[in-house]
Amino acid sequence: MSLHAEPISLALSMPFRIAHGTSTSRDNVFVHVDEGVGVAAITPYYPAQVPDVLAYVARPEVAAALEGDPLLVEDLLDRLPSGPAPARAALDLALHDRWGKTLGQPLYRLWGLNPERAPLSSYTISMADDAEFRQRMQEAAGYPVLKIKLGSGSLERDEALVRMAREAYPGSLCVDANAAWTANEAAAIIPRLARYDLQFIEQPVAQHDREGWHTLAARLPEDMPPLIADESIHDSRDILPLAGAIGGINIKLAKCGGLREARRMIALARTLGMKVMLGCMVESIVGVSAAAHLAPLVDFADLDGNLLVVNDPYTGMIWDQGRLHLPSAPGLGVQRRG
Ligand SMILES: [Mg+2]
């Protein structure tokens, strides 16, 4: 078994500004297990950074855990020690990629999923001044679902962004506050935003504010768009404490630790009657393609994370105006560029 990690800084075609800050590049660590590849998507606002991923992959227990029959993915994953979620996700993806390559089939086929059932993906418009924001809205006019990033620091400004978006765009709109509001602020602004016909409102309150989620849900009128938890939901253990307060969850591989945990989360959320969204970080197509194999199981897809990246070393899933064409090559279906 060969194992190695390869950190790469991904450059972005434009600054990506959300409530957590502005990025002009993002670090990814590609992890190779034999012919399988996975990626650890690093975000500036979560604790795990590149050195943490490299240290985890270099642990002797990790290499020892990966020895064995490549088809026994569950056994191999069970043996991995606990560690940073993006690092575990990279290994989980590489093991699934190698599994699919060994069997000669793409992952969605091995899981019996119909690629025609993947929902349309949203395209994200990050925050900018009026002129730049209008320009981005114009460029995205042909896409079927747009996600507007909020959390500018001013509720008036946040509402103005949604107003500008709605004036420019008749299609499906959703918003993501990226944990920027207090429960009080959220209770004040959400009924105002609901007038602009929104599909859902994502992460209105702070990551660890469970009480805020429940307070908010109790204070909002009945007919509001569903609230989707992103930063507050990392893996399946986070779902039950928010049951009753949230309408759905946003699953990301870099938060939950990989495809196996993502499938558990989908099953639990469905049991609880929740909507399921599949998201990603601003990251390589390797991670976005991996998530896309699960898209036939979810209600909302937000899989545009590679579109701003200008130096991705891989190709994979094709994003065609919001329509997701799942890769048909074996495993994750990604290919290293020439
Ligand atoms: Mg989000």
Side-chain angles (χ1 to χ4, degrees), residues 69-110:
D69 184 341
L71 295 184
L72 299 183
V73 173
E74 291 281 330
D75 290 13
L76 301 175
L77 290 173
D78 280 345
R79 291 207 293 264
L80 281 176
S82 60
R88 286 184 291 109
L91 287 165
D92 168 289
L93 266 55
L95 292 178
H96 279 94
D97 189 35
R98 186 178 65 166
W99 176 56
K101 283 172 172 161
T102 306
L103 294 173
Q105 293 290 337
L107 295 181
Y108 71 83
R109 273 218 161 276
L110 292 172

Side-chain angles (χ1 to χ4, degrees), residues 147 149 176 178 202 230-231 250 252:
K147 183 193 273 192
K149 290 291 197 178
D176 185 356
N178 281 114
E202 194 176 325
D230 177 358
E231 283 88 336
N250 184 353
K252 294 177 182 170

